């Protein structure tokens, strides 16, 4: 299949090549694809991924075909495969898809146009991980030996699962923390107060209530006190350590209002980098390299 479905498909050399290309685009390198059109199909809510893909497409001179699930024939029972096959038949040059089903792309194996995964269930969010990696690389100029702890609702997070796999491959020491009920043991668990004092990167996650089968065992106030990035915890971080979050953020739950935009926070830089990473991925695919 063409495009970008999971980072597991990419070597670390290819990941570094994409990051370097994204940084070159950020420095002002210009490339245009005026004859191309790409459809964005979001079957789950999204602000950052959906609109940063659209900004990336516009920056590349590509026409955006904005698919509205509510007004589409999905409501008449059309399958994901038939929807994507239709866009292929209409002549679009690629599709961006976010879907709640893990590895939805397995049913699209015969589609020939590039597919860009904007997130599948709890499994993969490849462009989010690339923008996280770009932000870390811009900060530290390396990955090898850096310590990162991802804190929060790990078990429901495609961001955590994608990042842990790729960060380990790039030589980072990756840990997890947060409530035991969301610990799926995908990395070594450490207490949050140890994490904030020892990590180079502290990555917070939103509690993903929409994916929960059962009510969270504690209140959001208790969550903030036990597992949130409070001002007190921020003050205990190493001098050059940074705070990241894929967003959307819930101020007062996993992150204090004052911390969200503090000097250590790279949250809005992550969003900016998302546009360049998505430009790099789309451009590389349209050039036949992905
Ligand atoms: N980080 C992220 O995927 O945000 P959205 O859900 O708003 O796209």
């Amino acid at each position: 299949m063409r495009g970008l479905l999971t980072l597991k498909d990419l070597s670390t050399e290819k990941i570094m090549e994409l990051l370097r290309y994204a940084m070159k685009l950020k420095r002002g390198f210009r490339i245009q694809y005026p004859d191309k059109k790409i459809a964005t199909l979001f079957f789950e809510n999204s602000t950052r991924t959906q609109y940063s893909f659209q900004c990336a497409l516009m920056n590349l001179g590509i026409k955006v075909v904005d698919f509205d699930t509510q007004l589409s024939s999905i409501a008449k029972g059309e399958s994901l495969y038939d929807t994507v096959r239709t866009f292929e038949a209409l002549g679009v040059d690629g599709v961006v898809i976010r879907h709640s089903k893990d590895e939805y792309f397995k049913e699209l194996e015969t589609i020939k146009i590039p597919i860009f995964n904007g997130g599948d269930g709890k499994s993969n969010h490849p462009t989010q991980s690339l923008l996280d990696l770009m932000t870390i690389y811009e900060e530290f100029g390396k990955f090898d030996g850096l310590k990162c702890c991802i804190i929060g609702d790990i078990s429901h997070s495609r961001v955590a699962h994608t990042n842990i796999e790729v960060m380990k491959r790039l030589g980072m020491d990756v840990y997890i923390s947060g409530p035991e009920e969301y610990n799926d043991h995908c990395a070594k668990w450490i207490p949050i107060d140890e994490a904030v004092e020892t990590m180079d990167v502290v990555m917070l996650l939103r509690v993903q209530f929409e994916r929960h089968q059962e009510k969270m065992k504690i209140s959001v106030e208790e969550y903030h006190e036990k597992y949130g990035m409070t001002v007190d915890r921020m003050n205990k971080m190493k001098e050059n350590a940074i705070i990241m979050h894929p967003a959307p953020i819930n101020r007062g739950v996993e992150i204090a209002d004052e911390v969200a935009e503090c000097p250590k926070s790279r949250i809005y830089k992550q969003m900016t980098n998302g546009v360049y990473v998505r430009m790099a991925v789309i451009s590389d695919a349209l050039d036949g390299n992905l």
Side-chain angles (χ1 to χ4, degrees), residues 11 17 60 72 77 127 132 182 220 225 254:
S11 65
E17 183 190 311
L60 293 168
S72 74
T127 57
D132 291 341
Y182 304 136
V220 291
E225 193 183 313
E254 72 276 8

Side-chain angles (χ1 to χ4, degrees), residues 42 45-50 98 118 125 128 158-159 246-248:
F42 278 73
N45 292 359
S46 168
T47 298
R48 271 145 297 278
T49 311
Q50 179 167 208
R98 169 174 286 190
H125 199 345
Q128 176 69 45
R158 54 190 168 218
V159 176

Side-chain angles (χ1 to χ4, degrees), residues 13 27 36 49 65 81 86 116 165 219 223 246 266 279:
E13 290 76 20
R27 289 195 299 272
K36 303 289 185 190
T49 311
V65 181
Y81 172 79
T86 298
F116 304 100
E165 188 279 327
S219 68
Y223 184 97
R266 297 293 177 271
M279 286 170 73

Side-chain angles (χ1 to χ4, degrees), residues 53-71:
F53 259 115
Q54 292 195 3
C55 289
L57 292 168
M58 289 181 223
N59 290 349
L60 293 168
I62 299 168
K63 290 171 195 69
V64 179
V65 181
D66 191 5
F67 176 75
D68 185 335
T69 50
Q70 302 299 317
L71 296 175

Side-chain angles (χ1 to χ4, degrees), residues 42 44-56 96 98 118 125 127-128 131-132 206 245-250 267-268 270-272 274-275 278:
F42 278 73
E44 265 191 354
N45 292 359
S46 168
T47 298
R48 271 145 297 278
T49 311
Q50 179 167 208
Y51 296 103
S52 102
F53 259 115
Q54 292 195 3
C55 289
V96 180
R98 169 174 286 190
H125 199 345
T127 57
Q128 176 69 45
L131 75 88
D132 291 341
R206 179 177 67 88
H245 191 316
I249 57 175
N250 285 311
I267 297 172
Y268 291 92
Q270 287 173 263
M271 295 178 204
T272 303
V275 176
R278 288 169 180 129

